[in-house]
Amino acid sequence: MSAPAIRPFTAQFTDAEVADLRMRIAATRFAEKETVSDRSQGPQLATLKELIRYWGEEYDFNRVQTNVNAHPNFITEIDGLDIHFIHVRSKHENALPLIITHGWPGSVIEQLKLIEPLVNPTEHGGDASDAFHVVIPSIPGYGFSGKPTATGWGPKRVARAWAELMGRLGYTRYAAQGGDWGAIITDLMGAQAPEGLVAIHTNMAGVVPSAIDAALAAGQPLPDGTPPLTEDEKDTVAHLKSVYSHVFYAYIMGDRPQALAGIADSPVGLAAFLIDHDAASLELITRSFDGVPEGLTRDDVLDNITLFWLTNTGISSARLYAENKTPFFGVNGVKIPVAVSVFPDELYPAPKTWAEQAYPNLVHYNRLPKGGHFAAWEQPELLVNEVRTGLRSVR
């Protein structure tokens, strides 16, 4: 039996699809202004008005397909579902294959800034020995990948599919990297330890002891018998208490994704939902629409929202939360080498003590000076350096 085909793919949206989006943007009906002076009620009306104005009047709707098509794209069927991926091989000998996974509310748009520095390190401040062959798939239900029509496509199945993809591409030795869902999928790959996977790198490490994680998720005190916490561990607990009190988008998508049908019909509804992931990211995005871009530009933000709209993946992507049976931040039993990068505005700062317990083969741990949850998108240079350094010992 021949191997399943790998088919070239070109991202292309029709004029009619773009015209329909423009019409909907022009017809936006806004809610009234928030009753507070901060972002505690979510994206502020002024931010949404400027986003919609810029989207409708100045944004280049060709950006998404142009930027995606700047790299080789492919589709292959795995376990009955079409999987889209970008695949860029390095010219450097002995480059290490690396599969990089995005999260929610992201897409392959998040990782585009990583490709050239990882593939061509000598042109971006690195050595030839730092080179990677890069594979960036779209999670099922996201972007250009197929949308599951039945239950069962949770993170564990995605992790197995990624191992199948790397084998299908002929890679017998490779590493994996991810943040957000990408971190969870990458962690699960590490736990599954498929043949050929030599190490993982994560910028949202799964290190929280299960009893502590379960108590915090339930809004309960730490369990009796919890060892005294270090200052870093106390800081982590404080962050997680806040996270579990405010990630209502995750609870909604995990329980009632179909109730979000309005984001498939309203551009401003989709935009408001996608930019309200966490407080630090919303602040960063708000600044970009206030004319003070740092890490993310208006175009960056709208590239991702536009991809979600034109592929109609607001609901299909949400179902990953409903499929998930894995704790977001818990320990998954990874035994292979692991590199951990901690960005200060991440949902929680993974303490080194817990990282050492969760990952007995921890080969790299570093706290970065700036950056948040979407590190590949916000601080690509820092993340590239972390990936190079963190995986150097396993080459």
Side-chain angles (χ1 to χ4, degrees):
M1 181 180 295
S2 61
I6 295 175
R7 316 185 302 272
F9 173 81
T10 300
Q12 189 169 6
F13 302 114
T14 67
D15 291 343
E17 290 171 323
V18 173
D20 175 73
L21 173 54
R22 285 184 178 277
M23 178 190 69
R24 291 169 185 267
I25 289 171
T28 296
R29 183 177 70 168
F30 291 100
E32 64 279 357
K33 186 179 184 297
E34 60 278 359
T35 57
V36 294
S37 59
D38 55 24
R39 287 177 292 277
S40 60
Q41 294 182 351
Q44 293 169 298
L45 179 60
T47 301
L48 292 175
K49 282 190 170 181
E50 179 56 17
L51 182 154
I52 289 296
R53 185 206 65 78
Y54 184 81
W55 202 4
E57 297 177 8
E58 298 184 41
Y59 178 73
D60 178 1
F61 286 89
N62 289 318
R63 278 181 54 90
V64 173
Q65 58 194 45
T66 298
N67 292 341
V68 170
N69 290 334
H71 310 284
N73 285 250
F74 303 90
I75 294 277
T76 191
E77 183 181 314
I78 298 178
D79 204 4
L81 194 70
D82 276 349
I83 300 297
H84 161 260
F85 62 98
I86 294 170
H87 182 202
V88 185
R89 290 185 57 85
S90 175
K91 65 183 179 183
H92 295 291
E93 190 176 357
N94 300 321
L96 178 65
L98 179 68
I99 184 166
I100 307 175
T101 310
H102 64 83
W104 183 93
S107 62
V108 296
I109 295 294
E110 281 184 65
Q111 279 80 28
L112 294 181
K113 297 175 185 178
L114 302 180
I115 295 174
E116 279 301 310
L118 290 175
V119 171
N120 297 314
T122 55
E123 299 174 21
H124 298 272
D127 298 324
S129 59
D130 292 322
F132 293 89
H133 303 306
V134 172
V135 179
I136 307 175
S138 296
I139 296 172
Y142 289 70
F144 302 108
S145 278
K147 301 175 183 179
T149 57
T151 59
W153 272 100
K156 291 182 180 180
R157 188 173 180 181
V158 176
R160 291 192 296 270
W162 281 190
E164 168 66 22
L165 174 60
M166 294 303 278
R168 192 172 294 181
L169 293 173
Y171 292 134
T172 58
R173 192 173 187 279
Y174 64 93
Q177 197 284 328
D180 193 84
W181 277 121
I184 295 170
I185 291 166
T186 298
D187 226 44
L188 292 170
M189 290 182 73
Q192 293 168 2
E195 185 177 359
L197 180 62
V198 297
I200 66 171
H201 175 276
T202 177
N203 52 281
M204 193 185 82
V207 304
V208 184
S210 57
I212 292 177
D213 188 51
L216 294 173
Q220 301 296 321
L222 298 187
D224 293 339
T226 300
L229 302 180
T230 66
E231 289 305 311
D232 282 349
E233 291 166 357
K234 290 177 182 176
D235 184 42
T236 296
V237 167
H239 275 79
L240 287 172
K241 285 181 178 178
S242 177
V243 167
Y244 279 125
S245 297
H246 293 96
V247 289
F248 295 110
Y249 61 86
Y251 299 134
I252 293 170
M253 289 189 286
D255 188 52
R256 311 289 288 178
Q258 293 300 116
L260 295 168
I263 67 175
D265 189 58
S266 165
V268 72
L270 177 67
F273 194 67
L274 295 183
I275 68 175
D276 195 21
H277 178 273
D278 65 274
S281 297
L282 178 57
E283 181 180 352
L284 183 70
I285 291 168
T286 299
R287 287 200 302 270
S288 75
F289 283 96
D290 283 343
V292 189
E294 178 188 344
L296 290 181
T297 67
R298 299 176 177 200
D299 286 335
D300 287 331
V301 175
L302 284 170
D303 286 348
N304 188 59
I305 298 171
T306 301
L307 178 61
F308 265 82
W309 179 270
L310 292 175
T311 55
N312 193 19
T313 47
I315 302 301
S316 58
S317 63
R319 295 193 191 106
L320 185 60
Y321 286 82
E323 293 287 348
N324 182 48
K325 304 298 186 290
T326 301
F328 292 131
F329 314 115
V331 177
N332 289 302
V334 181
K335 300 297 192 295
I336 67 172
V338 179
V340 172
S341 300
V342 181
F343 288 82
D345 290 330
E346 180 54 90
L347 297 182
Y348 83 99
K352 188 175 185 180
T353 51
W354 286 357
E356 290 171 335
Q357 294 170 22
Y359 303 126
N361 201 346
L362 185 68
V363 296
H364 173 80
Y365 176 93
N366 189 35
R367 287 179 175 253
L368 284 300
K370 61 181 177 179
H373 187 66
F374 302 99
W377 210 18
E378 301 168 27
Q379 300 295 336
E381 290 184 11
L382 291 178
L383 186 62
V384 164
N385 287 333
E386 283 296 290
V387 171
R388 290 174 179 169
T389 303
L391 297 177
R392 196 165 283 152
S393 67
V394 302
R395 286 182 175 272

